[in-house]
Amino acid sequence: MSILIYAESAEGKFKKTAFELASYAKKIAAETGTTVTALTINAADASALSKYGVDKALNVKSDKLNSFNAKAYADVIKQAAEKENSKIVLFSATTDSLYAAPLVAVALNAGYASNVVALPESTSPFRVKRNAFSNKAFNITEINTDIKVLAIGKNSFGLVESQSNLQQEDFNPSLNDGDFTVKVESAEKVTGKVTIADAEIVVSGGRGLKGPENWGMLEDLASVLGAATACSKPVSDLGWRPHSEHVGQTGKPVAANLYIAIGISGAIQHIAGINSSKVKVVINSDADAPFFKVADYGVVGDAFEIVPKLTEKIKEFKAQNS
């Protein structure tokens, strides 16, 4: 018996969420006296998982699985869980995993809890703490089924190193042609930038920047901070920025350690999507902007004056402390 995690990767490299998930699983394994098995799909090298306590890796290699397919991936994960007799199956709360996790839960006749933000309150009975009401509250969910499927919120646990002696095994699940009726014609990929999903810091802009030609100062700040860039829904709707950068309840959820909102008023849908971020900084000329009510730090003023000065100060600080 082993705790199974689905270790997500992109272009062969593990996402940060895979290591966080491994850290979370290792802690439960230590408390329950079991081990951690990771399922990898077309990852280049699973050895990096050993740093975070994974005992065994089931490595799947298949050209059919080069593009994410919820039904096919769920079937592969289900077969891995059955092979390992896993009673706990863990996912990260990423877009892809949140599609696959419920399908796996149904296939395994398992109880399912999403948006889990802490280690289990208890394992007998099995209770977990979850975000609720668009991250405005928490609830405690009890799962009574034999098998439990959890989706762990990003940045809710952190990375905890725990070196293990990783054993690797090629895994060749059966692939059902019926799972591949949906075909991926093309995919747009952002290269050379920090992705929103993996970012510790996100710098986000709204209509207060007045146009796409002014995005350079936001990108400069993001570059100095090693941050990802993002935007509000109106900005992506206007075509100022790509939809891949749209964050919020109707876009990509953000759970960064630091979220900087520049020229964003703070519509309820936007705040709901970024509310899991640990520290929220707002820069806006409107002192009555709703975003200030949920911000940890707020600056009232002209972003066109504040942001360049902030960027220069950070550059000076880094130069003095490098």
Side-chain angles (χ1 to χ4, degrees):
M1 191 187 317
S2 181
I3 297 171
L4 180 72
I5 70 169
Y6 165 47
E8 275 196 60
S9 58
E11 298 180 352
K13 295 182 179 180
F14 289 114
K15 298 180 179 181
K16 177 197 166 191
T17 53
F19 302 131
E20 184 173 15
L21 198 62
S23 302
Y24 183 96
K26 185 63 177 180
K27 184 66 175 177
I28 299 177
E31 293 178 358
T32 57
T34 186
T35 58
V36 179
T37 297
L39 175 72
T40 76
I41 298 178
N42 290 337
D45 182 11
S47 60
L49 294 170
S50 65
K51 187 176 180 180
Y52 300 96
V54 174
D55 301 290
K56 181 179 179 181
L58 298 179
N59 300 319
V60 177
K61 306 286 186 182
S62 173
D63 290 340
K64 284 187 173 183
L65 300 172
N66 281 337
S67 297
F68 176 77
N69 177 307
K71 288 180 67 178
Y73 273 51
D75 192 27
V76 170
I77 297 165
K78 175 232 180 193
Q79 292 179 54
E82 291 176 335
K83 178 182 184 300
E84 295 299 301
N85 191 27
S86 298
K87 301 301 182 184
I88 300 175
V89 181
L90 302 179
F91 292 83
S92 302
T94 62
T95 301
D96 287 352
S97 283
L98 289 175
Y99 278 115
L103 299 177
V104 173
V106 170
L108 293 172
N109 195 28
Y112 172 54
S114 60
N115 300 320
V116 176
V117 295
L119 289 167
E121 300 268 314
S122 65
T123 55
S124 183
F126 195 92
R127 292 174 177 158
V128 289
K129 183 179 181 180
R130 305 169 59 222
N131 273 331
F133 303 117
S134 298
N135 302 320
K136 293 185 178 67
F138 299 105
N139 69 32
I140 303 298
T141 297
E142 184 172 317
I143 305 177
N144 296 318
T145 51
D146 184 42
I147 302 174
K148 289 87 175 168
V149 175
L150 310 179
I152 312 303
K154 290 182 287 185
N155 273 339
S156 62
F157 187 73
L159 302 181
V160 181
E161 294 186 12
S162 178
Q163 190 65 43
S164 64
N165 184 20
L166 181 69
Q167 296 180 343
Q168 299 197 49
E169 178 182 325
D170 291 336
F171 181 49
N172 299 299
S174 60
L175 299 177
N176 184 351
D177 289 339
D179 290 340
F180 295 92
T181 53
V182 176
K183 303 293 183 182
V184 177
E185 296 292 337
S186 64
E188 295 182 6
K189 296 182 179 180
V190 178
T191 58
K193 295 183 179 180
V194 180
T195 65
I196 293 172
D198 293 331
E200 300 278 354
I201 304 172
V202 174
V203 177
S204 190
R207 280 183 294 184
L209 291 180
K210 299 181 180 179
E213 67 277 4
N214 296 319
W215 230 260
M217 67 176 187
L218 186 145
E219 291 177 328
D220 288 344
L221 177 60
S223 178
V224 171
L225 292 171
T229 56
C231 68
S232 61
K233 185 178 187 297
V235 166
S236 64
D237 287 345
L238 288 166
W240 295 0
R241 300 298 294 176
H243 283 283
S244 61
E245 292 191 3
H246 165 207
V247 299
Q249 191 173 35
T250 57
K252 291 184 177 178
V254 171
N257 288 327
L258 173 62
Y259 183 81
I260 304 175
I262 301 170
I264 300 175
S265 61
I268 190 169
Q269 294 89 346
H270 187 89
I271 292 173
I274 64 88
N275 215 26
S276 290
S277 296
K278 292 179 179 172
V279 177
K280 295 174 279 292
V281 176
V282 175
I283 301 172
N284 202 300
S285 60
D286 180 7
D288 296 321
F291 222 140
F292 284 115
K293 294 179 181 179
V294 299
D296 297 287
Y297 301 95
V299 180
V300 178
D302 186 349
F304 294 94
E305 295 180 7
I306 294 168
V307 174
K309 290 180 180 178
L310 177 60
T311 303
E312 286 305 312
K313 287 295 183 182
I314 294 172
K315 285 181 179 178
E316 291 175 9
F317 177 82
K318 292 180 73 173
Q320 294 169 2
N321 294 274
S322 60

